[in-house]
């Protein structure tokens, strides 16, 4: 079992819809969780970080964390074609600097 | 201000050659990370520096990989006797302090192709 799992996609949603991206992790001591966006041929850029159970909202993005279920998700409201990218989930186990990334979910927002 | 820069952007090496990849972090950033990203995969952690100290090198895949940051700023990742499986994008990231939850700023990467 991979330490951080994501569905590779592609996930296709129409413009204006809500895109829901999911990630599960295996390490129960993980404390910090991150969502990165990576456009094709570019480097990752941080969208959201979340450390506590519940929801965290930033503009059109909402991160949701459920540590009991070892599950973190990212919702993108009012999806735009410019949101089309690969979304990487990353987990940071407690007491380390070793970020663990998933393989990413490719999102396509159809105009 | 300037972001993280990496050079070269592209490198083609013959199997068995040694290569050196350079990372210039954002000025003043304490933390520096190296990652390897194979096609279609997420970045994989290689090593972490806090200033000049290499605090974690557990992700380096073999003793052919070596990284240094002698003055706590520029870092070099060296791969000796390159193999085809070393072909990947090598990403460098820096963050301002030593806190583990700080935002990492990624460079554009060096795309290495080993023939």
């Amino acid at each position: 079992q991979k330490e951080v799992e994501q569905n590779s996609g592609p996930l296709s949603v129409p413009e204006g819809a809500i895109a829901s991206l999911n990630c599960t992790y295996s390490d129960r001591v993980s404390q910090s969780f991150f969502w990165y966006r990576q456009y094709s041929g570019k480097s990752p850029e941080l969208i959201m970080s979340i450390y506590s159970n519940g929801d965290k909202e930033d503009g059109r993005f909402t991160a949701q964390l459920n540590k009991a279920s070892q599950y973190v998700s990212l919702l993108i409201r009012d999806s735009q074609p410019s949101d089309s990218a690969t979304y990487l989930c990353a987990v940071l186990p407690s007491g380390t600097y070793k970020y663990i990334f998933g393989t990413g979910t490719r999102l396509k927002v159809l105009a | 201000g300037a972001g993280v820069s990496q050079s070269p952007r592209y490198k083609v090496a013959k199997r068995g050659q040694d290569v050196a990849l350079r990372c210039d972090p954002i000025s003043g950033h304490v933390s520096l990370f190296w990652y390897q990203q194979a096609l279609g995969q997420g970045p994989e952690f290689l090593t972490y520096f806090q200033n000049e100290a290499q605090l974690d090198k557990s992700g380096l895949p073999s003793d052919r990989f070596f990284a240094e940051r002698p003055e706590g700023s520029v870092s070099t990742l060296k791969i000796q006797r390159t193999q085809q499986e070393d072909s990947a994008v090598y990403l460098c990231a820096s963050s301002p302090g030593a806190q583990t939850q700080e935002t990492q700023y990624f460079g554009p990467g060096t795309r290495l192709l080993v023939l």
Side-chain angles (χ1 to χ4, degrees):
Chain A
Q1 181 190 5
K2 290 186 179 178
E3 293 181 83
V4 177
E5 297 216 38
Q6 296 181 256
N7 188 318
S8 60
L11 172 66
S12 295
V13 300
E15 184 175 358
I18 296 176
S20 177
L21 305 162
N22 304 313
C23 172
T24 58
Y25 61 94
S26 60
D27 185 355
R28 285 198 167 271
V29 300
S30 291
Q31 295 292 323
S32 306
F33 306 87
F34 307 85
W35 283 100
Y36 286 82
R37 177 175 62 200
Q38 186 172 29
Y39 292 111
S40 181
K42 303 294 185 183
S43 54
E45 54 179 331
L46 182 68
I47 299 175
M48 297 274 294
S49 56
I50 185 166
Y51 312 118
S52 305
N53 279 328
D55 294 0
K56 180 181 177 183
E57 187 174 319
D58 184 0
R60 295 187 296 113
F61 299 97
T62 299
Q64 299 174 319
L65 175 61
N66 184 326
K67 289 187 179 181
S69 301
Q70 295 175 242
Y71 176 92
V72 58
S73 65
L74 179 70
L75 300 177
I76 306 175
R77 287 181 298 282
D78 188 24
S79 295
Q80 301 298 309
S82 58
D83 294 326
S84 298
T86 295
Y87 289 80
L88 298 162
C89 172
V91 167
L92 183 62
S94 179
T96 80
Y97 296 93
K98 188 173 181 177
Y99 288 77
I100 304 170
F101 284 80
T103 56
T105 297
R106 192 154 63 97
L107 173 67
K108 287 185 173 180
V109 180
L110 307 172
Chain B
V4 178
S5 61
Q6 293 186 245
S7 60
R9 292 293 312 278
Y10 303 92
K11 177 70 179 177
V12 179
K14 291 183 180 177
R15 189 159 51 99
Q17 275 186 329
D18 297 349
V19 298
L21 312 179
R22 177 186 169 109
C23 172
D24 282 85
I26 294 172
S27 178
H29 275 199
V30 168
S31 294
L32 187 145
F33 301 79
W34 282 100
Y35 294 90
Q36 179 190 63
Q37 187 172 24
L39 192 63
Q41 302 297 312
E44 283 209 30
F45 173 89
L46 294 177
T47 188
Y48 167 71
F49 289 88
Q50 196 172 100
N51 295 308
E52 69 279 3
Q54 189 175 21
L55 298 189
D56 189 336
K57 55 180 181 179
S58 63
L60 296 176
S62 75
D63 58 8
R64 296 186 296 104
F65 287 71
F66 171 79
E68 61 183 1
R69 194 186 184 198
E71 297 177 0
S73 54
V74 171
S75 178
T76 303
L77 176 67
K78 296 178 179 177
I79 309 173
Q80 296 178 320
R81 304 181 304 281
T82 52
Q83 304 294 314
Q84 287 185 321
E85 62 262 27
D86 299 335
S87 296
V89 175
Y90 290 84
L91 294 165
C92 174
S94 69
S95 59
Q99 300 301 314
T100 56
Q101 296 173 344
E102 291 181 340
T103 300
Q104 292 185 67
Y105 298 89
F106 281 84
T110 294
R111 189 175 297 271
L112 173 65
L113 177 62
V114 181
L115 302 176

